[in-house]
Amino acid sequence: MSERKVLNKYYPPDFDPAKIPKLKLPKDRQYVVRLMAPFNMRCKTCGEYIYKGKKFNARKETVQNEVYLGLPIFRFYIKCTRCLAEITFKTDPENTDYTMEHGATRNFQAEKLLEEEEKRMQKEREEEELNNPMKVLENRTKDSKLEMEVLENLQELKELNQRQANVDFEAMLQQYKEYEEERKRREQEEDEQEMKAMLEQAQNRRLLPDSDSDEEPSKPRSEPAVKARPTDILQEGRRPQLGWSSGRGTPSPSASPGLQPPLQHNLGPPAIDSAAWDGLSFASPRSVLETGRTKERFQSLVCKAGIIPTIGAPCTAAL
């Protein structure tokens, strides 16, 4: 099976390319192209305005016997949108523009015409000076004379403005000098004040440690007294418990004879007196709570002292 996209084709041995007939086309052949109007124009037939950028289906051809530096010049044919009159224009590679040829007039080209006129005059002057040295001297004299006249006119205009304005330039300069002097003096005073403030601040910082050393040592702050609650005795690590003697009589103190009475709380009940506190002793919480008799005696003693009221029963138990 042959290849679908063939790159090389078969040429028979008796193939002669000179026998292939050539396509003869006229040199002024026209092509249909799509273009936009390169400038604003007005139709000469009906006066319709055609603005720059309007699209046309134009015919294009190469201008015969017109070349600029080897570049061909093209001509375009369009029709007026109102009267269908034929309008032609061609390229201008010398000025990188288009030139109007027939059927319409170009608008807004006064600046272009002025530039063309200046270029033409400059070119004529250069051609005259090229072969005539006296013409060069004459043109230079005219130019210098014209420059002197311009300067004189400018000076007259300045003097006229000065007379009409009535402005005293000396007074303005004097006022400006006074303003500059006042500004410099004000800046110098501000700098001096700022320097004095910085020196005073540095001196105060230097004297601050010495003044602190002369003062009396500060007294330690007394921490606020913690308010004692009635249940603080039972929540501490070492709880005051009753230590009882082996007999059934009056309880005797044991373990810590030098125990001091606790601080008075703020909830109302008075502190334990010394007589009631003598009956308290320190023992382990486990030993106190093991026997119900010891617990009852402890509660009755504490109720009698007025520290912890028993819950659910009045303080009537006796020792």
Side-chain angles (χ1 to χ4, degrees):
M1 186 175 179
S2 63
E3 196 174 339
R4 185 171 65 87
K5 293 184 177 180
V6 182
L7 300 178
N8 298 322
K9 296 183 179 181
Y10 173 73
Y11 294 96
D14 57 346
F15 175 74
D16 187 6
K19 295 181 180 180
I20 300 175
K22 294 182 180 179
L23 182 62
K24 295 182 180 180
L25 298 175
K27 294 183 178 180
D28 56 349
R29 183 186 175 189
Q30 294 183 352
Y31 300 90
V32 178
V33 294
R34 183 78 170 173
L35 58 79
M36 292 187 294
F39 46 78
N40 298 321
M41 64 185 81
R42 185 180 181 185
C43 178
K44 290 182 178 180
T45 305
C46 63
E48 177 71 12
Y49 284 97
I50 300 174
Y51 297 97
K52 180 180 179 181
K54 190 172 182 60
K55 293 182 179 180
F56 292 93
N57 292 323
R59 300 192 317 273
K60 169 188 151 184
E61 68 177 8
T62 304
V63 180
Q64 299 298 322
N65 302 326
E66 288 190 25
V67 178
Y68 175 75
L69 300 178
L71 299 175
I73 296 176
F74 300 101
R75 181 182 287 114
F76 299 93
Y77 297 87
I78 62 175
K79 290 184 178 181
C80 177
T81 57
R82 184 176 178 182
C83 64
L84 301 179
E86 191 174 59
I87 300 172
T88 61
F89 56 89
K90 59 183 180 180
T91 58
D92 185 10
E94 182 178 0
N95 300 317
T96 63
D97 199 1
Y98 293 85
T99 58
M100 195 71 219
E101 191 174 20
H102 173 72
T105 56
R106 184 171 179 174
N107 299 333
F108 310 112
Q109 58 177 353
E111 185 177 359
K112 181 182 177 182
L113 294 175
L114 181 61
E115 292 178 358
E116 291 178 356
E117 185 67 21
E118 290 179 357
K119 288 181 180 179
R120 186 182 61 80
M121 293 177 63
Q122 184 70 19
K123 188 176 181 180
E124 291 179 357
R125 181 176 177 179
E126 290 177 357
E127 290 178 356
E128 289 179 358
E129 293 178 355
L130 185 61
N131 300 320
N132 191 355
M134 296 301 294
K135 192 69 174 178
V136 175
L137 182 59
E138 185 179 352
N139 290 337
R140 288 181 181 177
T141 306
K142 288 181 179 180
D143 292 341
S144 60
K145 186 177 181 181
L146 181 62
E147 185 177 358
M148 292 295 293
E149 290 179 357
V150 170
L151 292 176
E152 289 177 359
N153 293 334
L154 182 61
Q155 187 65 25
E156 290 179 359
L157 290 175
K158 287 183 178 180
E159 293 177 357
L160 181 61
N161 291 335
Q162 288 181 1
R163 287 196 300 269
Q164 293 179 354
N166 295 326
V167 177
D168 190 1
F169 294 100
E170 296 296 334
M172 291 176 62
L173 293 175
Q174 184 66 23
Q175 185 178 2
Y176 179 74
K177 289 181 180 179
E178 293 177 357
Y179 171 74
E180 288 294 327
E181 293 176 358
E182 180 67 21
R183 185 176 60 82
K184 291 180 180 180
R185 185 181 59 80
R186 200 181 313 116
E187 289 180 357
Q188 187 175 2
E189 290 179 358
E190 292 178 358
D191 294 341
E192 291 179 357
Q193 292 178 1
E194 187 175 359
M195 185 66 67
K196 288 181 181 180
M198 291 174 64
L199 291 174
E200 291 178 358
Q201 187 176 4
Q203 187 176 5
N204 293 336
R205 289 181 179 178
R206 194 182 301 112
L207 296 177
L208 186 60
D210 300 338
S211 61
D212 291 344
S213 61
D214 296 340
E215 293 180 357
E216 297 180 358
S218 59
K219 298 180 181 179
R221 291 188 302 173
S222 59
E223 297 182 357
V226 180
K227 296 182 179 180
R229 293 179 296 176
T231 57
D232 287 346
I233 298 175
L234 300 178
Q235 293 178 1
E236 292 179 358
R238 296 181 62 186
R239 300 177 182 177
Q241 304 293 342
L242 286 176
W244 305 100
S245 61
S246 58
R248 296 181 179 180
T250 307
S252 61
S254 63
S256 57
L259 185 64
Q260 299 297 329
L263 296 175
Q264 184 177 359
H265 51 78
N266 299 329
L267 297 180
I272 302 176
D273 55 353
S274 59
W277 190 259
D278 292 337
L280 298 175
S281 64
F282 288 97
S284 63
R286 186 180 183 86
S287 62
V288 174
L289 298 178
E290 283 178 354
T291 58
R293 183 178 180 183
T294 307
K295 183 177 179 180
E296 291 177 358
R297 288 178 177 268
F298 173 74
Q299 289 180 355
S300 64
L301 182 61
V302 171
C303 290
K304 190 174 182 180
I307 296 178
I308 303 174
T310 56
I311 302 173
C315 294
T316 57
L319 293 175

